[in-house]
Structures are given as C-alpha cells and as structure tokens.
Amino acid sequence: MRRNSFVAAAAALSALLPTAAFAQEEGEERSRRVRVGLGAQLVPSYPGSDNHDVIPLVDVAVARGDDPFDFEAADESFGFSILDSGGFEFGPVLSIEGSRTAKDVGAPLNKVSTTVEVGAFVEYKLSPSFRVRAEGRRGIGGHDGWSGNVGADYIIRDRDRYLFSLGPRVTLSDGRYHRAYFGVTPSEAVASGLAAYRPGGGVQAVGGNAGFLYQLGGRWGIYSYAKYDRLVGDAARSPIVRQFGSRDQLSGGLALTYTFGGN
C-alpha cells in the first residue's frame, strides 16, 4: 500500500498532537521522543503494473521516556488504536490508492480515479517478537470496492539500536476492486483489442514484507523496507496483467531518520 503525502501528513500531525495514551505513567509525565524518517520509495504505478513510480517515504513514530518505539510495518495503513489490552489492538485506518489512467497502462482503458480507503485493523501480539495483523478497507471514489491484508511479522530488535522484521502477506479484494483494476468491459475490449474479462473477488496476491531500522549514532538512523507480492487467482488471469503488466509486484524504500526530544 502506498504511503502518500496526505497519509504522511496525517501521521505526522497525530504524532505531534498530545494524546491521552501518552499523558502520564505512574503519576509522572515522561518526556516524549519523536522519530521522523524522510526518504523515497519505489512502488508499482498501479495494481498489476510492471512500471514503478518514485514517491516520498515518510515515517513517524512516538515513544515516551526510555520506552523503545513501537514496531510498525512499512505496508501498514495510517491508523491508531482505540482499544489496546493484553496484546490485542483495534482501531481505524486510512489509506489512499493512486489513480490509473489509460496512459499508465498503455491501452485505451477506463480511468480509475484516486481512491480514499477507510476501514479498521485488528492486531494481536503473541510475544514481543511475533504479531499478526489484519486490515479491511472500503474505497470511497475510484475503485469503490473492499480490500484488505492479512499478515504476520517476526521481529528481531535491540531496543532502538536496530530492528529487523520479516513476514508473509495475503491481499484480498472484492469483485468491484478486481473489476476496476483487472477487468475489461465489452467497450474496453473493442477499443483495446483485449478479451472482455469480468473477475470476481478473492485472494489478490501473496507475498512478504521485510523491514530494517538501524541507529547510526546519536539521533540519526536509517529506515528501509522491501516488499514482494505475487498476483494470483482472477487478478493474475487478467488480460491487462498478462499483456501490459506483471504478476510480480515489487516495492521498496529507504529513508534517513532523526529523533527529536528525550535526553
């Protein structure tokens, strides 16, 4: 899932505003630390594309006192917890999927406008080193469909000195989402020469995500990630993917981080 400037700005705003969760601990307020990462990432131009776009990579994390920063995978949507108890978390999420034009594909297909996706996540930490997470999001405008992700992460870390994560991912989408990006209507078939295609919903892709953070010294550090998805099912059988795109979806990013606050 892309991290665009709108979502990044929302993340930064939420990090800088005071919240009840960071109010006090054991009756004494502790200093807040904010880690901001700025860089670039390479992402598919649209779902199923064999071309990539370079877009900003922004990551914001907040911690109190000497507590390490919470783990967050690069492919998570922006969100926050409204319930956090016993390793279980639940809350709303927001994401944005960019537009797809006929020029992007290289064929006279209908435009899919930029989509705002809103939904919720649920997460469970089985241990400090292992968690599972699922998201479900409804598109507003653009594809107007449902999409979601299910994944797990194994985490190796030395507090904030370094962190490495690795885990599998499964992407699911409904028929409306699939038809927006992978379907070919009869009129599009006549204009493009592609076979008409009406996909249903189901599993869209399977893959994995890896992340790495390392503190270079003092307040500076690096943040990076790499992700691979393999389109399957109706998405993989799309004439658009077979003729103009790729089943292999690669993305990755690199950012420089700086930590504000603390000692």
Side-chain angles (χ1 to χ4, degrees):
M1 189 58 59
R2 299 186 191 182
R3 292 189 173 192
N4 53 56
S5 57
F6 177 82
V7 174
L13 180 62
S14 71
L16 296 175
L17 290 176
T19 61
F22 293 133
Q24 290 186 344
E25 182 167 317
E26 299 178 354
E28 295 183 2
E29 186 174 353
R30 301 186 297 162
S31 61
R32 181 186 305 183
R33 293 180 293 126
V34 180
R35 185 183 65 206
V36 178
L38 297 174
Q41 58 183 327
L42 197 68
V43 299
S45 299
Y46 58 87
S49 174
D50 62 351
N51 294 317
H52 292 78
D53 293 336
V54 177
I55 63 174
L57 173 59
V58 180
D59 183 73
V60 180
V62 181
R64 279 288 191 181
D66 295 330
D67 293 344
F69 290 103
D70 287 341
F71 167 73
E72 177 185 306
D75 58 342
E76 292 179 18
S77 301
F78 166 66
F80 56 90
S81 298
I82 57 176
L83 175 63
D84 186 348
S85 177
F88 175 84
E89 291 187 47
F90 171 82
V93 292
L94 168 69
S95 184
I96 295 182
E97 183 67 65
S99 63
R100 187 203 71 182
T101 66
K103 183 178 179 180
D104 293 331
V105 182
L109 301 175
N110 296 332
K111 178 181 179 180
V112 182
S113 299
T114 298
T115 308
V116 177
E117 297 179 338
V118 295
F121 80 92
V122 59
E123 178 179 316
Y124 184 68
K125 294 181 177 68
L126 285 79
S127 74
S129 299
F130 188 76
R131 67 141 200 194
V132 292
R133 178 183 172 99
E135 289 186 16
R137 304 176 302 276
R138 171 68 159 84
I140 302 174
H143 62 69
D144 279 326
W146 283 92
S147 62
N149 315 86
V150 179
D153 293 281
Y154 180 67
I155 304 154
I156 302 172
R157 70 183 303 172
D158 179 4
R159 295 183 64 82
D160 291 329
R161 182 170 176 267
Y162 68 81
L163 184 152
F164 174 76
S165 65
L166 180 68
R169 297 291 190 270
V170 177
T171 302
L172 305 101
S173 305
D174 69 359
R176 182 171 290 181
Y177 182 102
H178 275 183
R179 287 189 287 275
Y181 289 107
F182 306 111
V184 181
T185 65
S187 61
E188 289 176 317
V190 172
S192 66
L194 296 172
Y197 184 62
R198 184 178 173 82
V203 177
Q204 176 184 324
V206 295
N209 185 85
F212 180 67
L213 293 96
Y214 183 77
Q215 201 67 20
L216 298 173
R219 297 180 178 272
W220 294 96
I222 58 171
Y223 168 69
S224 61
Y225 82 94
K227 185 178 182 183
Y228 170 74
D229 283 319
R230 175 75 171 178
L231 297 180
V232 297
D234 283 5
R237 289 187 285 269
S238 168
I240 301 172
V241 173
R242 290 181 175 274
Q243 186 161 336
F244 298 102
S246 173
R247 294 180 64 184
D248 299 311
Q249 302 285 282
L250 295 166
S251 58
L254 178 65
L256 187 66
T257 70
Y258 186 83
T259 301
F260 297 88
N263 297 326

Short mmCIF file of all heavy atoms in Angstrom, two decimals, residues 14-35 60-71 157 159-160 259-263:
data_model
loop_
_atom_site.label_atom_id
_atom_site.label_comp_id
_atom_site.label_asym_id
_atom_site.label_seq_id
_atom_site.Cartn_x
_atom_site.Cartn_y
_atom_site.Cartn_z
N SER A 14 -0.74 13.45 13.92
CA SER A 14 -1.15 12.65 15.07
C SER A 14 0.00 12.44 16.04
O SER A 14 -0.20 12.33 17.24
CB SER A 14 -1.68 11.29 14.60
OG SER A 14 -0.62 10.49 14.12
N ALA A 15 1.22 12.39 15.51
CA ALA A 15 2.38 12.18 16.37
C ALA A 15 2.69 13.42 17.20
O ALA A 15 3.17 13.32 18.33
CB ALA A 15 3.60 11.80 15.53
N LEU A 16 2.44 14.58 16.64
CA LEU A 16 2.82 15.81 17.31
C LEU A 16 1.76 16.33 18.26
O LEU A 16 2.04 17.11 19.16
CB LEU A 16 3.15 16.88 16.27
CG LEU A 16 4.36 16.55 15.39
CD1 LEU A 16 4.53 17.61 14.32
CD2 LEU A 16 5.62 16.43 16.23
N LEU A 17 0.51 15.91 18.08
CA LEU A 17 -0.56 16.34 18.97
C LEU A 17 -0.54 15.50 20.24
O LEU A 17 -0.30 14.30 20.20
CB LEU A 17 -1.92 16.20 18.28
CG LEU A 17 -2.19 17.17 17.14
CD1 LEU A 17 -3.53 16.84 16.49
CD2 LEU A 17 -2.20 18.61 17.64
N PRO A 18 -0.83 16.09 21.39
CA PRO A 18 -0.88 15.31 22.63
C PRO A 18 -2.05 14.35 22.60
O PRO A 18 -3.11 14.65 22.07
CB PRO A 18 -1.05 16.38 23.72
CG PRO A 18 -1.65 17.55 23.02
CD PRO A 18 -1.10 17.53 21.62
N THR A 19 -1.85 13.17 23.17
CA THR A 19 -2.91 12.17 23.24
C THR A 19 -3.01 11.64 24.65
O THR A 19 -2.06 11.67 25.43
CB THR A 19 -2.63 10.99 22.29
OG1 THR A 19 -1.40 10.38 22.68
CG2 THR A 19 -2.54 11.46 20.85
N ALA A 20 -4.18 11.08 24.96
CA ALA A 20 -4.40 10.56 26.30
C ALA A 20 -3.46 9.40 26.61
O ALA A 20 -3.07 9.18 27.76
CB ALA A 20 -5.86 10.12 26.44
N ALA A 21 -3.10 8.64 25.58
CA ALA A 21 -2.27 7.47 25.80
C ALA A 21 -0.90 7.84 26.33
O ALA A 21 -0.23 7.03 26.97
CB ALA A 21 -2.13 6.69 24.50
N PHE A 22 -0.44 9.07 26.02
CA PHE A 22 0.88 9.48 26.46
C PHE A 22 0.81 10.49 27.60
O PHE A 22 1.75 11.25 27.82
CB PHE A 22 1.65 10.10 25.28
CG PHE A 22 1.98 9.12 24.22
CD1 PHE A 22 1.74 9.42 22.89
CD2 PHE A 22 2.53 7.89 24.54
CE1 PHE A 22 2.05 8.51 21.89
CE2 PHE A 22 2.84 6.97 23.55
CZ PHE A 22 2.60 7.28 22.23
N ALA A 23 -0.29 10.57 28.30
CA ALA A 23 -0.46 11.61 29.30
C ALA A 23 0.50 11.45 30.47
O ALA A 23 1.30 12.32 30.74
CB ALA A 23 -1.90 11.62 29.80
N GLN A 24 0.42 10.31 31.20
CA GLN A 24 1.25 10.12 32.38
C GLN A 24 1.50 8.63 32.57
O GLN A 24 0.72 7.79 32.12
CB GLN A 24 0.59 10.68 33.63
CG GLN A 24 0.52 12.19 33.64
CD GLN A 24 -0.02 12.68 34.97
OE1 GLN A 24 -0.58 11.94 35.74
NE2 GLN A 24 0.17 13.95 35.23
N GLU A 25 2.57 8.33 33.28
CA GLU A 25 2.82 6.94 33.69
C GLU A 25 3.29 6.98 35.12
O GLU A 25 4.25 7.68 35.47
CB GLU A 25 3.86 6.29 32.79
CG GLU A 25 4.11 4.83 33.17
CD GLU A 25 4.90 4.11 32.12
OE1 GLU A 25 4.62 4.30 30.94
OE2 GLU A 25 5.79 3.34 32.50
N GLU A 26 2.62 6.21 35.99
CA GLU A 26 2.92 6.15 37.41
C GLU A 26 2.94 7.55 38.03
O GLU A 26 3.75 7.88 38.89
CB GLU A 26 4.26 5.45 37.64
CG GLU A 26 4.26 4.01 37.14
CD GLU A 26 5.62 3.35 37.33
OE1 GLU A 26 6.56 4.06 37.74
OE2 GLU A 26 5.71 2.15 37.07
N GLY A 27 2.03 8.40 37.53
CA GLY A 27 1.84 9.72 38.11
C GLY A 27 2.84 10.75 37.67
O GLY A 27 2.76 11.89 38.08
N GLU A 28 3.84 10.39 36.86
CA GLU A 28 4.83 11.35 36.42
C GLU A 28 4.89 11.35 34.91
O GLU A 28 5.11 10.32 34.29
CB GLU A 28 6.20 11.01 37.00
CG GLU A 28 6.27 11.11 38.52
CD GLU A 28 7.67 10.84 39.02
OE1 GLU A 28 8.56 10.60 38.16
OE2 GLU A 28 7.87 10.84 40.23
N GLU A 29 4.73 12.53 34.35
CA GLU A 29 4.80 12.64 32.90
C GLU A 29 6.24 12.48 32.45
O GLU A 29 7.16 13.08 33.02
CB GLU A 29 4.24 13.98 32.45
CG GLU A 29 4.16 14.10 30.92
CD GLU A 29 3.47 15.36 30.49
OE1 GLU A 29 2.95 16.07 31.37
OE2 GLU A 29 3.46 15.63 29.28
N ARG A 30 6.46 11.68 31.42
CA ARG A 30 7.80 11.44 30.91
C ARG A 30 7.97 12.15 29.57
O ARG A 30 7.01 12.38 28.85
CB ARG A 30 8.04 9.94 30.74
CG ARG A 30 7.90 9.17 32.04
CD ARG A 30 8.30 7.72 31.86
NE ARG A 30 7.42 7.07 30.90
CZ ARG A 30 7.74 5.91 30.28
NH1 ARG A 30 8.91 5.37 30.48
NH2 ARG A 30 6.89 5.36 29.45
N SER A 31 9.21 12.48 29.24
CA SER A 31 9.49 13.22 28.02
C SER A 31 9.12 12.39 26.80
O SER A 31 9.25 11.16 26.79
CB SER A 31 10.96 13.62 27.96
OG SER A 31 11.78 12.46 27.96
N ARG A 32 8.68 13.07 25.78
CA ARG A 32 8.27 12.40 24.54
C ARG A 32 9.41 12.45 23.52
O ARG A 32 10.09 13.46 23.38
CB ARG A 32 7.04 13.09 23.96
CG ARG A 32 6.55 12.43 22.68
CD ARG A 32 5.43 13.21 22.04
NE ARG A 32 4.33 13.43 22.96
CZ ARG A 32 3.20 14.05 22.61
NH1 ARG A 32 3.06 14.52 21.39
NH2 ARG A 32 2.25 14.23 23.49
N ARG A 33 9.60 11.35 22.81
CA ARG A 33 10.55 11.29 21.70
C ARG A 33 9.78 11.06 20.41
O ARG A 33 8.85 10.24 20.38
CB ARG A 33 11.56 10.17 21.90
CG ARG A 33 12.50 10.39 23.08
CD ARG A 33 13.50 9.25 23.21
NE ARG A 33 12.83 8.01 23.58
CZ ARG A 33 12.95 6.86 22.92
NH1 ARG A 33 13.69 6.81 21.82
NH2 ARG A 33 12.32 5.78 23.33
N VAL A 34 10.14 11.77 19.38
CA VAL A 34 9.51 11.63 18.07
C VAL A 34 10.59 11.32 17.05
O VAL A 34 11.55 12.08 16.90
CB VAL A 34 8.75 12.91 17.66
CG1 VAL A 34 8.11 12.71 16.28
CG2 VAL A 34 7.69 13.26 18.69
N ARG A 35 10.44 10.19 16.37
CA ARG A 35 11.38 9.82 15.31
C ARG A 35 10.71 10.05 13.95
O ARG A 35 9.62 9.52 13.68
CB ARG A 35 11.78 8.35 15.43
CG ARG A 35 12.85 7.92 14.41
CD ARG A 35 13.14 6.44 14.53
NE ARG A 35 11.99 5.65 14.17
CZ ARG A 35 11.75 4.42 14.62
NH1 ARG A 35 12.58 3.85 15.47
NH2 ARG A 35 10.66 3.76 14.24
N VAL A 60 6.73 8.24 10.85
CA VAL A 60 6.72 8.96 12.11
C VAL A 60 6.40 7.99 13.24
O VAL A 60 5.45 7.21 13.14
CB VAL A 60 5.69 10.11 12.11
CG1 VAL A 60 5.71 10.85 13.44
CG2 VAL A 60 5.95 11.07 10.96
N ALA A 61 7.21 8.02 14.29
CA ALA A 61 6.97 7.16 15.45
C ALA A 61 7.15 7.98 16.71
O ALA A 61 7.95 8.93 16.75
CB ALA A 61 7.93 5.97 15.45
N VAL A 62 6.41 7.62 17.77
CA VAL A 62 6.44 8.36 19.03
C VAL A 62 6.66 7.37 20.17
O VAL A 62 6.11 6.27 20.18
CB VAL A 62 5.12 9.12 19.26
CG1 VAL A 62 5.18 9.90 20.57
CG2 VAL A 62 4.82 10.05 18.10
N ALA A 63 7.50 7.77 21.13
CA ALA A 63 7.73 6.95 22.33
C ALA A 63 7.87 7.87 23.53
O ALA A 63 8.17 9.07 23.40
CB ALA A 63 8.97 6.09 22.17
N ARG A 64 7.68 7.30 24.72
CA ARG A 64 7.81 8.04 25.97
C ARG A 64 9.05 7.57 26.74
O ARG A 64 9.32 6.38 26.83
CB ARG A 64 6.58 7.84 26.84
CG ARG A 64 5.40 8.71 26.46
CD ARG A 64 5.64 10.16 26.84
NE ARG A 64 4.43 10.96 26.70
CZ ARG A 64 4.38 12.24 26.95
NH1 ARG A 64 5.45 12.89 27.33
NH2 ARG A 64 3.24 12.90 26.80
N GLY A 65 9.78 8.52 27.28
CA GLY A 65 10.90 8.20 28.13
C GLY A 65 11.90 7.28 27.45
O GLY A 65 12.33 7.53 26.32
N ASP A 66 12.26 6.19 28.14
CA ASP A 66 13.20 5.22 27.59
C ASP A 66 12.51 4.07 26.86
O ASP A 66 13.18 3.11 26.46
CB ASP A 66 14.08 4.65 28.72
CG ASP A 66 14.98 5.71 29.34
OD1 ASP A 66 15.37 6.65 28.61
OD2 ASP A 66 15.28 5.59 30.55
N ASP A 67 11.20 4.11 26.72
CA ASP A 67 10.49 3.04 26.02
C ASP A 67 10.94 2.98 24.56
O ASP A 67 11.09 4.03 23.92
CB ASP A 67 8.98 3.27 26.04
CG ASP A 67 8.40 3.15 27.43
OD1 ASP A 67 9.09 2.59 28.32
OD2 ASP A 67 7.26 3.61 27.64
N PRO A 68 11.16 1.80 24.02
CA PRO A 68 11.50 1.71 22.59
C PRO A 68 10.30 2.09 21.73
O PRO A 68 9.14 1.97 22.17
CB PRO A 68 11.88 0.24 22.39
CG PRO A 68 11.17 -0.48 23.49
CD PRO A 68 11.14 0.47 24.66
N PHE A 69 10.57 2.54 20.52
CA PHE A 69 9.48 2.85 19.60
C PHE A 69 8.73 1.57 19.23
O PHE A 69 9.33 0.51 19.04
CB PHE A 69 10.04 3.49 18.32
CG PHE A 69 10.58 4.87 18.52
CD1 PHE A 69 11.96 5.09 18.59
CD2 PHE A 69 9.73 5.96 18.64
CE1 PHE A 69 12.45 6.37 18.77
CE2 PHE A 69 10.22 7.24 18.82
CZ PHE A 69 11.59 7.45 18.89
N ASP A 70 7.41 1.68 19.15
CA ASP A 70 6.60 0.53 18.75
C ASP A 70 6.94 0.11 17.32
O ASP A 70 7.24 0.96 16.47
CB ASP A 70 5.10 0.86 18.83
CG ASP A 70 4.60 0.92 20.26
OD1 ASP A 70 5.28 0.37 21.15
OD2 ASP A 70 3.53 1.53 20.49
N PHE A 71 6.85 -1.18 17.07
CA PHE A 71 7.07 -1.69 15.72
C PHE A 71 5.88 -1.35 14.82
O PHE A 71 4.73 -1.48 15.22
CB PHE A 71 7.26 -3.21 15.74
CG PHE A 71 7.17 -3.84 14.38
CD1 PHE A 71 8.20 -3.67 13.46
CD2 PHE A 71 6.06 -4.57 14.00
CE1 PHE A 71 8.13 -4.23 12.20
CE2 PHE A 71 5.98 -5.14 12.75
CZ PHE A 71 7.02 -4.97 11.84
N ARG A 157 15.07 -7.33 17.52
CA ARG A 157 15.48 -5.96 17.80
C ARG A 157 16.35 -5.88 19.05
O ARG A 157 16.30 -6.76 19.92
CB ARG A 157 14.25 -5.06 17.95
CG ARG A 157 13.43 -5.30 19.21
CD ARG A 157 12.19 -4.41 19.25
NE ARG A 157 12.50 -2.99 19.15
CZ ARG A 157 11.58 -2.04 19.02
NH1 ARG A 157 10.28 -2.37 18.97
NH2 ARG A 157 11.93 -0.77 18.94
N ARG A 159 16.20 -3.01 21.30
CA ARG A 159 15.50 -1.77 21.60
C ARG A 159 15.46 -0.89 20.34
O ARG A 159 14.94 -1.33 19.31
CB ARG A 159 16.15 -1.07 22.79
CG ARG A 159 16.00 -1.88 24.09
CD ARG A 159 16.58 -1.18 25.28
NE ARG A 159 15.87 0.06 25.57
CZ ARG A 159 14.72 0.13 26.26
NH1 ARG A 159 14.14 -0.96 26.71
NH2 ARG A 159 14.16 1.31 26.50
N ASP A 160 16.04 0.33 20.39
CA ASP A 160 16.02 1.19 19.20
C ASP A 160 17.35 1.18 18.45
O ASP A 160 17.51 1.91 17.46
CB ASP A 160 15.67 2.63 19.59
CG ASP A 160 14.23 2.76 20.06
OD1 ASP A 160 13.39 1.99 19.56
OD2 ASP A 160 13.96 3.62 20.92
N THR A 259 15.71 11.65 15.45
CA THR A 259 14.88 11.57 16.65
C THR A 259 14.93 12.88 17.42
O THR A 259 16.02 13.35 17.80
CB THR A 259 15.35 10.42 17.55
OG1 THR A 259 15.28 9.18 16.83
CG2 THR A 259 14.46 10.31 18.80
N PHE A 260 13.76 13.45 17.67
CA PHE A 260 13.64 14.69 18.43
C PHE A 260 13.25 14.36 19.87
O PHE A 260 12.54 13.38 20.14
CB PHE A 260 12.55 15.58 17.84
CG PHE A 260 12.83 16.04 16.43
CD1 PHE A 260 12.44 15.25 15.35
CD2 PHE A 260 13.47 17.24 16.18
CE1 PHE A 260 12.69 15.67 14.05
CE2 PHE A 260 13.73 17.66 14.90
CZ PHE A 260 13.33 16.88 13.81
N GLY A 261 13.67 15.20 20.80
CA GLY A 261 13.26 15.05 22.18
C GLY A 261 14.10 14.03 22.93
O GLY A 261 15.04 13.44 22.40
N GLY A 262 13.73 13.76 24.17
CA GLY A 262 14.47 12.83 25.01
C GLY A 262 15.76 13.46 25.50
O GLY A 262 16.02 14.66 25.36
N ASN A 263 16.58 12.63 26.07
CA ASN A 263 17.85 13.12 26.61
C ASN A 263 18.93 13.20 25.55
O ASN A 263 18.92 12.45 24.61
CB ASN A 263 18.31 12.21 27.76
CG ASN A 263 17.32 12.23 28.92
OD1 ASN A 263 16.71 13.26 29.18
ND2 ASN A 263 17.18 11.09 29.60
#
